[in-house]
Amino acid sequence: MKVHHTIESLQSDLLTIKKAGKTTAFVPTMGNLHQGHLDLVKKGLSLADSVIVSIYVNPLQFGANEDLSTYPRTLDDDLFALKELGAAHVFVPTDEIMYPEGKEVHSKVSVPKLGDRHCGASRPQFFGGITTIVAKLFNIVQADISIFGEKDFQQLAVIRKMVEDLCISTKVVGIPIVREDDGLAMSSRNNYLSSDERMIAPTLHQTLLAMKEKILEGVEYEKAETDAIDALNNKGFVVDYLNVCNSKSLEPATSSDKELVILAAAMLGKTRLIDNIELSLK
Ligand code: AMP
């Protein structure tokens, strides 16, 4: 496995792979890898000849009061895990490489509307930061396939839309949420939870499961949302949003929608947790 710190070094090796007629899969991450990330890499290994992983904590997607400086960075462990798994190349750029003249004056990519609701409403800089860095990484790597987790359901939808709108020639593949045994969706931010909070955290997933059942039994979306928010607040969460949506548009679900997703974000102490669950009314 080769670790690259410059675009030139990575692209020179990628050219060799291309010339040999081999296919590539790309997995962008912010590091602090857990099984969720590693499942993306495994998927890549099953779909392509070589897997390229990027590890970059992108400052452009963090708000002024968010956790950029404290975001967990565990590069040595990450590289060890990727090597064990069989990733071929890891791209670990610095801010100077990605934003040579500073992030403020860097060209930006945005996906309006789809990125405005949910996480986009409470984190206005978030999706613009993601689409800008992912578009740049897509252009650098030019992989046949790019793999993302459904844990970040809205992010996956935004990236699919960007790829379609901008005719980016990579095939976007999503993989299911990887969870801890108690149902908590794996996340680098779970490291922030105190031991008491960690015990409460799976309630988010349990609440979404219960909500799904209620909706399938015919409970109205608004009532299901209000009950779930009350249940989470009673457990100590501060709910940011919890919405029953059309799974494609991510707009509030209407009675004619059949494919739904419940999207949720909630603070537990200082930790922001997100989760989602899909349901089909067919
Ligand atoms: P991050 O490092 O948080 O930016 O995530 C990098 C990629 O890993 C994204 O495509 C995420 O959706 C995906 N990912 C993170 N956590 C999980 C999880 N628990 N299950 C599946 N994919 C995940």
Side-chain angles (χ1 to χ4, degrees), residues 149-156 175-177 179 183 185 204-205 208-209 212 241 243 250 260-265 273-279:
E150 287 170 0
K151 180 193 164 243
D152 300 272
F153 197 93
Q154 189 181 12
Q155 168 177 290
L156 179 54
I175 71 134
I177 302 176
R179 299 181 180 281
L204 181 57
H205 176 53
L208 295 187
L209 282 174
K212 175 176 173 173
Y241 63 80
N243 303 317
L250 307 190
L260 308 181
V261 61
I262 307 170
L263 299 175
L273 300 175
I274 65 169
D275 205 342
N276 66 77
I277 196 161
E278 287 184 89
L279 62 152

Side-chain angles (χ1 to χ4, degrees), residues 111-117 119-121 127 154 158:
V111 174
K113 195 153 185 240
L114 197 54
D116 292 344
R117 284 182 185 275
C119 280
F127 287 118
Q154 189 181 12
V158 165

Side-chain angles (χ1 to χ4, degrees), residues 27-37 39-40 56 61 71 130 147-153 155 175-179 184-189:
V27 178
T29 80
M30 297 205 298
N32 190 237
L33 303 182
H34 51 63
Q35 195 55 47
H37 298 110
D39 270 24
L40 302 180
Y56 179 56
Q61 71 195 61
Y71 195 85
I130 295 216
I147 306 175
F148 293 84
E150 287 170 0
K151 180 193 164 243
D152 300 272
F153 197 93
Q155 168 177 290
I175 71 134
I177 302 176
V178 179
R179 299 181 180 281
L184 176 65
M186 288 191 183
S187 165
S188 303
R189 290 194 166 97

Side-chain angles (χ1 to χ4, degrees), residues 53-259:
V53 179
S54 65
I55 297 180
Y56 179 56
V57 183
N58 171 34
L60 199 60
Q61 71 195 61
F62 285 77
N65 300 317
E66 294 182 358
D67 56 345
L68 174 63
S69 62
T70 53
Y71 195 85
R73 287 159 170 88
T74 51
L75 186 60
D76 289 347
D77 290 349
D78 294 349
L79 294 178
F80 183 80
L82 291 173
K83 192 172 175 187
E84 290 274 288
L85 211 53
H89 297 274
V90 187
F91 182 43
V92 190
T94 58
D95 292 341
E96 289 69 32
I97 296 282
M98 297 314 271
Y99 302 109
E101 294 168 47
K103 61 185 184 343
E104 290 75 18
V105 296
H106 193 278
S107 302
K108 305 290 187 315
V109 177
S110 75
V111 174
K113 195 153 185 240
L114 197 54
D116 292 344
R117 284 182 185 275
H118 316 301
C119 280
S122 34
R123 304 181 70 193
Q125 76 299 325
F126 183 56
F127 287 118
I130 295 216
T131 45
T132 298
I133 200 68
V134 171
K136 183 160 185 160
L137 289 166
F138 279 171
N139 281 331
I140 293 169
V141 179
Q142 302 200 10
D144 298 292
I145 299 164
S146 298
I147 306 175
F148 293 84
E150 287 170 0
K151 180 193 164 243
D152 300 272
F153 197 93
Q154 189 181 12
Q155 168 177 290
L156 179 54
V158 165
I159 284 166
R160 285 191 196 282
K161 178 84 166 66
M162 175 183 81
V163 163
E164 191 183 328
D165 286 352
L166 301 182
C167 304
I168 297 174
S169 61
T170 191
K171 182 178 176 227
V172 175
V173 171
I175 71 134
I177 302 176
V178 179
R179 299 181 180 281
E180 304 286 357
D181 289 344
D182 59 11
L184 176 65
M186 288 191 183
S187 165
S188 303
R189 290 194 166 97
N190 293 348
N191 290 319
Y192 299 153
L193 296 167
S194 69
S195 53
D196 284 351
E197 288 165 350
R198 178 63 189 81
M199 305 244 282
I200 300 167
T203 311
L204 181 57
H205 176 53
Q206 288 155 13
T207 305
L208 295 187
L209 282 174
M211 203 178 159
K212 175 176 173 173
E213 289 312 310
K214 279 193 185 174
I215 289 173
L216 291 173
E217 284 163 16
V219 173
E220 285 182 2
Y221 302 152
E222 232 170 89
K223 163 99 175 100
E225 286 170 356
T226 314
D227 288 353
I229 290 170
D230 286 347
L232 287 168
N233 287 342
N234 286 338
K235 283 281 185 176
F237 289 86
V238 177
V239 175
D240 179 0
Y241 63 80
L242 194 154
N243 303 317
V244 183
C245 305
N246 175 300
S247 69
K248 290 279 168 303
S249 67
L250 307 190
E251 295 287 314
T254 65
S255 53
S256 59
D257 291 331
K258 298 289 177 228
E259 299 300 328

